[in-house]
Amino acid sequence: MKKYSLSFLLLIFGISISAQKSIDQKVTELLSKMTLEEKAGQLVQYSGFEYATGPQNSNSKKVLEEIKSGKVGSMLNVTGAEETKAFQKLALESRMKIPMIFGQDVIHGFRTTFPINLGQAASWDLEMIEKSERIAAIEASAYGIQWTFAPMVDIARDPRWGRVMEGSGEDTYLGTKIGLARIKGFQGKGLGNIDAIMATAKHFAAYGAAVGGRDYNSVDMSLRQLHETYLPPFKAASEAGVATFMNSFNDINGVPATANKYILRDLLKDQWKFQGFVVSDWGSIGEMIKHGYAKDNAEAGEKAILAGSDMDMESNIYMEQLPKLVKEGKVDIKFVDDAVRRILIKKFELGLFDDPYKFSNSERQKQQTNNLEHRKFGREFGAKSVVLLKNEKKLLPLSKSTKTVALIGPFGKEAVAMHGFWSVPFKDDAQRIVTQFDGIKNQLDKNSTLLYAKGCNENDDNKSMFAEAIETAKKADVVIMTLGEGHAMSGEAKSRSNLHFSGVQEELLKEIAKTGKPIVLMINAGRPLVFDWAADNIPTIVYSWWLGTEAGNSIADVIFGNVNPGGKLPMTFPRTEGQIPIYYNHYNTGRPAGKSTDRNYVSAYIDLDNDPKFPFGFGLSYTDFKYSNFNLSSDNLKGNQTLTINVNVANTGKFDGEEVVQLYIRDLFGKVVRPIKELKGFQKIFLKKGENRNVTFKLTPEDLKFYDDTLNYDWEAGEFEIMVGTNSNDLMTKKIVWEK
Ligand code: NOJ
């Protein structure tokens, strides 16, 4: 670290304190001038869907009047420099002239979309993830947006839940690292910069643990589990200065998250000292009536504000109820003031009081409309997210001079679908997106032919296109099949009980396989699917998610070997739906199944092997990696010492490639039982063929800490296993003792 003189540091520190102070003072001043109605107005967020093209084009005048009278603090779903400017103008007609904040679901890219978030997580590439959010922020902020409702940092162990596509998978350690990278990317050099947007840690909390994987469903779990598995990414986000949090729709142990005082007030605001504000999820304050937690709007508003929900997204309850509740003495004004203060601070930090139109600049918007550098990055990122599941006969990479290739399946010529769920729609989407067909065609030699047959639709029982697909396959030297689930079959409210390829896709695959032609099976999906027949019978399988604007180029780069795939699964892939939830870091139980085929009086199913189809952290490469010389600095440590772990990784195959080297530990005995494995580190390394490298990890007692049954967070002396390897199942193990 560079050395600075004490006086220089004091000066900088002094300036930042006084800047902060002056914002506080300005907010205090503003608050003292605001009426109760105006305060409530700052807590209101409206969707601009019906006004998306700007207020001038709208027939509905009610919301516009409310904006003019200072009753709307923020809007979502208004996009574009001109559009946001037009709305902002109305807000500035209000008595207090407080600008609005414009929010949007910028979930995996904006103009340039990137792989769906679960796909990004499969890259295990924190730098690229951060950069993708930087790009998203640059593009979105040029379209008048100052706030994204991302990252979703919900840990999710149930692929039936459709929103697994939006998160980083099942692991708390990986999910926390990725969440932090995203926040850094969005918020850039800090709010106030023209290309920095506010990030949102959502959905607070435990939304990913919905019973049965059914969206919006209840969550009932021990506080220990909540703290150990689900809360760490949120705590880290708060510590990293994420600007906002969003409530979750679910109840937690019987109390809706939106009015959960323990979660919002006691933990987030008091213990974690979160400085930003909390926005409700869409209508979640009003939904507390249906939950059976509030009998009417008044009670819902009262419970939400007291618990610590600051902004009301689309329930329209705070404006209607808060002034009354304060006058009746049911809500102390200090709760309203605190919520308004938090929101106003962010408006000041964003610089909106200095220039309310600063993000609404048509020139910038034009520059970011088709940024070729961003697309180039999107193409690389897409390829990095691909996971090679099988390549038994080394069919991949294909030669670009393969004479005839057939692309078969419902997703080959899909364009807009390549975005995956959650993208902001633009009129020119269809023209901008590279389909998988185009991407592959562009890379095949001029003298080669790419044939195409759809074969079937993504989700019906129509087999009338089978014959043409079979004929097409027969003409080809290699068939690339794109199967999976439709892009809108994962995402919000897209829970599925059946995770097989939808419709008649598997039947189509079986028919094509009968032709005897070599098949590359490419799976487009937003979640881990169940494809047992394919996994057992098709030797070449590539998991390609939904890769975004450059999807076709990214996938072609992998198929033809411009890029050697290095992605690793961020979720366990089950053998069948009945095995769900299945995750790598479970407890051992008193009767663990030793082998995958053990059935008798062990914790197992009598009708199914116990291991998953593909384990967490799994992914192949076109090359081979060999692990050796695994050694530890000591097998007996004391107190605050550091354990150094070394392993040599060699690229022994025929291609340059990347490997994610993974470190797991097991705490063998504890005050409470500990998982059989816990990811504690990973490094993504690039090795040229023939090259090898020593990879070093360090562990300190901090990494051994866990929550006990009284929620005390500490580590215990004892025996530990240290494991290193290429995935959560394929590990070398050494044992150590760590004393206090
Ligand atoms: C509901 C979703 O749960 C949330 O994630 C999203 O940000 C809001 N809708 C706004 O679109």
Side-chain angles (χ1 to χ4, degrees):
M1 209 183 121
K2 249 181 170 172
K3 287 207 173 110
Y4 295 103
S5 71
L6 185 62
S7 52
F8 177 74
L9 287 175
L10 282 175
L11 180 74
I12 296 296
F13 193 53
I15 287 173
S16 67
I17 284 188
S18 73
Q20 186 56 41
K21 242 194 208 156
S22 78
I23 286 185
D24 275 351
Q25 281 165 351
K26 286 179 195 166
V27 170
T28 306
E29 266 169 41
L30 262 182
L31 271 169
S32 71
K33 292 181 195 144
M34 290 167 77
T35 64
L36 190 49
E37 278 70 21
E38 283 163 342
K39 288 178 181 175
Q42 284 306 303
L43 312 185
V44 172
Q45 185 182 55
Y46 269 131
S47 170
F49 267 145
E50 60 174 305
Y51 311 94
T53 50
Q56 65 281 8
N57 299 329
S58 166
N59 298 322
S60 171
K61 299 279 178 254
K62 179 175 165 278
V63 169
L64 308 183
E65 286 311 314
E66 287 181 10
I67 298 172
K68 281 196 228 168
S69 51
K71 289 182 176 166
V72 183
S74 170
M75 294 189 84
L76 73 154
N77 298 326
V78 179
T79 309
E82 288 310 316
E83 290 79 355
T84 48
K85 192 184 244 171
F87 278 104
Q88 195 69 294
K89 237 170 149 184
L90 299 180
L92 296 176
E93 286 180 31
S94 65
R95 191 183 76 93
M96 293 302 294
K97 304 197 185 330
I98 298 176
M100 293 194 291
I101 311 180
F102 295 91
Q104 183 76 52
D105 288 289
V106 180
I107 306 293
H108 47 97
F110 184 70
R111 282 289 298 178
T112 314
T113 58
F114 304 111
I116 56 158
N117 304 83
L118 190 63
Q120 295 187 19
S123 75
W124 294 53
D125 195 321
L126 300 177
E127 271 175 37
M128 286 196 109
I129 290 171
E130 181 183 331
K131 183 158 180 202
S132 75
E133 304 303 24
R134 191 81 290 281
I135 289 174
I138 289 170
E139 293 185 355
S141 64
Y143 275 68
I145 290 158
Q146 303 111 23
W147 181 15
T148 175
F149 308 122
M152 182 183 103
V153 293
D154 295 310
I155 300 303
R157 294 166 158 182
D158 192 331
R160 289 172 298 182
W161 190 50
R163 299 197 79 166
V164 298
M165 56 80 46
E166 210 182 322
S168 303
E170 74 186 38
D171 185 62
T172 306
Y173 178 87
L174 180 63
T176 302
K177 294 271 179 214
I178 291 178
L180 291 177
R182 292 192 191 290
I183 291 163
K184 221 165 139 204
F186 285 130
Q187 299 192 170
K189 296 213 170 84
L191 303 187
N193 287 290
I194 188 69
D195 60 5
I197 62 176
M198 300 198 296
T200 306
K202 76 184 187 186
H203 306 82
F204 197 52
Y207 185 38
V211 172
R214 212 168 68 232
D215 210 0
Y216 316 123
N217 206 4
S218 295
V219 171
D220 204 314
M221 67 167 68
S222 72
L223 288 184
R224 205 191 74 71
Q225 173 79 302
L226 185 68
H227 278 266
E228 183 153 306
T229 305
Y230 293 89
L231 294 183
F234 289 101
K235 185 162 185 279
S238 171
E239 284 163 6
V242 71
T244 71
F245 264 56
M246 185 187 285
N247 293 148
S248 54
F249 285 124
N250 53 288
D251 70 272
I252 305 168
N253 301 337
V255 179
T258 302
N260 199 309
K261 180 174 167 293
Y262 171 67
I263 292 285
L264 294 173
R265 181 87 53 204
D266 302 352
L267 264 187
L268 179 65
K269 291 183 171 173
D270 290 349
Q271 281 186 39
W272 298 353
K273 312 231 172 309
F274 173 59
Q275 297 299 308
F277 67 87
V278 177
V279 63
S280 80
D281 202 344
W282 184 289
S284 70
I285 297 179
E287 286 177 14
M288 291 198 294
I289 298 170
K290 292 224 171 100
H291 272 285
Y293 192 68
K295 62 180 182 307
D296 53 22
N297 284 356
E299 194 176 358
E302 177 184 340
K303 285 185 161 169
I305 193 82
L306 294 183
S309 286
D310 300 311
M311 187 179 274
D312 173 0
M313 179 193 285
E314 275 289 326
S315 278
N316 308 342
I317 284 182
Y318 274 2
M319 190 66 236
E320 173 194 292
Q321 297 295 333
L322 285 185
K324 240 189 311 177
L325 288 165
V326 171
K327 281 176 202 145
E328 287 166 3
K330 289 192 174 144
V331 168
D332 190 318
I333 185 71
K334 76 174 187 202
F335 291 104
V336 177
D337 281 348
D338 177 59
V340 179
R341 171 178 291 279
R342 287 168 180 271
I343 291 163
L344 291 179
I345 287 175
K346 291 298 166 219
K347 292 186 176 183
F348 274 108
E349 286 177 1
L350 283 165
L352 290 174
F353 281 99
D354 298 330
D355 178 3
Y357 304 112
K358 88 182 228 203
F359 293 89
S360 305
N361 176 330
S362 302
E363 203 36 55
R364 267 185 80 217
Q365 172 167 324
K366 226 194 275 155
Q367 284 162 16
Q368 298 305 336
T369 290
N370 190 25
N371 185 319
L372 296 180
E373 281 299 308
H374 294 175
R375 294 191 64 133
K376 185 164 165 265
F377 172 82
R379 175 175 181 164
E380 285 167 31
F381 197 21
K384 296 258 181 178
S385 302
V386 169
V387 184
L388 180 65
L389 292 180
K390 286 181 77 181
N391 195 19
E392 277 171 8
K393 299 191 175 159
K394 306 268 182 216
L395 178 61
L396 288 176
L398 290 186
S399 158
K400 292 183 183 175
S401 58
T402 309
K403 267 252 108 343
T404 311
V405 177
L407 179 64
I408 297 177
F411 309 119
K413 286 196 172 176
E414 288 268 5
V416 179
M418 288 295 124
H419 282 316
F421 197 84
W422 282 125
S423 68
V424 179
F426 292 98
K427 280 199 207 91
D428 57 352
D429 274 349
Q431 294 90 59
R432 289 188 303 128
I433 289 164
V434 184
T435 66
Q436 301 188 97
F437 179 86
D438 288 343
I440 294 169
K441 176 134 183 98
N442 291 342
Q443 291 203 32
L444 261 185
D445 280 357
K446 293 243 157 29
N447 299 330
S448 301
T449 311
L450 179 63
L451 305 173
Y452 167 78
K454 189 169 182 191
C456 66
N457 297 319
E458 66 185 44
N459 197 13
D460 64 24
D461 58 4
N462 175 4
K463 295 188 200 167
S464 65
M465 289 174 274
F466 274 28
E468 186 208 356
I470 295 165
E471 283 317 304
T472 307
K474 284 183 181 160
K475 288 185 207 142
D477 300 304
V478 177
V479 177
I480 303 174
M481 293 205 68
T482 90
L483 304 181
E485 61 176 358
H487 78 288
M489 292 175 72
S490 62
E492 187 183 345
K494 305 294 184 294
S495 295
R496 293 180 65 191
S497 63
N498 174 349
L499 299 186
H500 284 70
F501 298 148
S502 47
V504 291
Q505 296 182 71
E506 188 166 306
E507 286 174 69
L508 175 67
L509 176 63
K510 287 178 179 165
E511 290 303 321
I512 301 293
K514 281 187 202 156
T515 66
K517 297 288 178 176
I519 295 176
V520 176
L521 173 59
M522 228 159 61
I523 301 179
N524 288 123
R527 50 152 69 83
L529 291 179
V530 170
F531 44 98
D532 34 355
W533 186 86
D536 293 340
N537 293 283
I538 305 293
T540 315
I541 304 181
V542 170
Y543 219 76
S544 51
W545 319 101
W546 295 100
L547 295 180
T549 314
E550 287 283 329
N553 288 330
S554 304
I555 199 65
D557 282 341
V558 170
I559 299 268
F560 294 114
N562 304 343
V563 175
N564 181 355
K568 303 271 188 174
L569 299 176
M571 283 187 87
T572 304
F573 275 44
R575 290 179 172 277
T576 171
E577 292 85 351
Q579 217 180 12
I580 297 169
I582 179 169
Y583 46 93
Y584 83 93
N585 53 352
H586 58 85
Y587 300 141
N588 205 35
T589 80
R591 294 191 178 191
K595 290 199 299 293
S596 182
T597 46
D598 280 357
R599 303 269 194 273
N600 264 342
Y601 294 96
V602 291
S603 179
Y605 297 102
I606 57 169
D607 56 357
L608 190 69
D609 285 358
N610 301 311
D611 56 353
K613 200 73 201 175
F614 297 100
F616 174 82
F618 178 83
L620 302 173
S621 166
Y622 294 156
T623 196
D624 301 305
F625 294 106
K626 194 168 161 281
Y627 284 65
S628 66
N629 289 337
F630 171 37
N631 59 63
L632 309 177
S633 57
S634 165
D635 57 8
N636 201 328
L637 292 103
K638 219 176 158 59
N640 263 341
Q641 287 181 336
T642 298
L643 173 67
T644 305
I645 300 136
N646 279 302
V647 67
N648 185 273
V649 184
N651 181 344
T652 56
K654 297 200 180 80
F655 298 82
D656 301 344
E658 284 182 311
E659 166 72 336
V660 180
V661 185
Q662 300 164 40
L663 169 73
Y664 297 83
I665 67 162
R666 178 172 180 189
D667 184 346
L668 282 167
F669 305 98
K671 211 174 186 180
V672 292
V673 295
R674 309 298 308 133
I676 61 158
K677 279 163 206 171
E678 293 175 83
L679 183 71
K680 288 291 172 181
F682 62 89
Q683 285 181 39
K684 190 165 187 180
I685 58 167
F686 172 79
L687 291 176
K688 286 192 166 302
K689 59 183 170 197
E691 204 186 342
N692 73 80
R693 181 165 328 150
N694 279 325
V695 175
T696 302
F697 294 99
K698 305 244 181 224
L699 284 178
T700 69
E702 196 54 38
D703 302 302
L704 311 177
K705 287 186 174 172
F706 61 89
Y707 288 92
D708 71 13
D709 47 352
T710 61
L711 297 188
N712 187 38
Y713 185 65
D714 205 353
W715 67 287
E716 281 177 354
E719 290 174 274
F720 299 84
E721 282 176 354
I722 309 295
M723 295 164 265
V724 170
T726 182
N727 67 61
S728 66
N729 203 33
D730 216 342
L731 298 165
M732 296 184 284
T733 306
K734 282 185 190 288
K735 211 178 200 178
I736 60 162
V737 173
W738 208 316
E739 295 165 43
K740 279 268 172 171

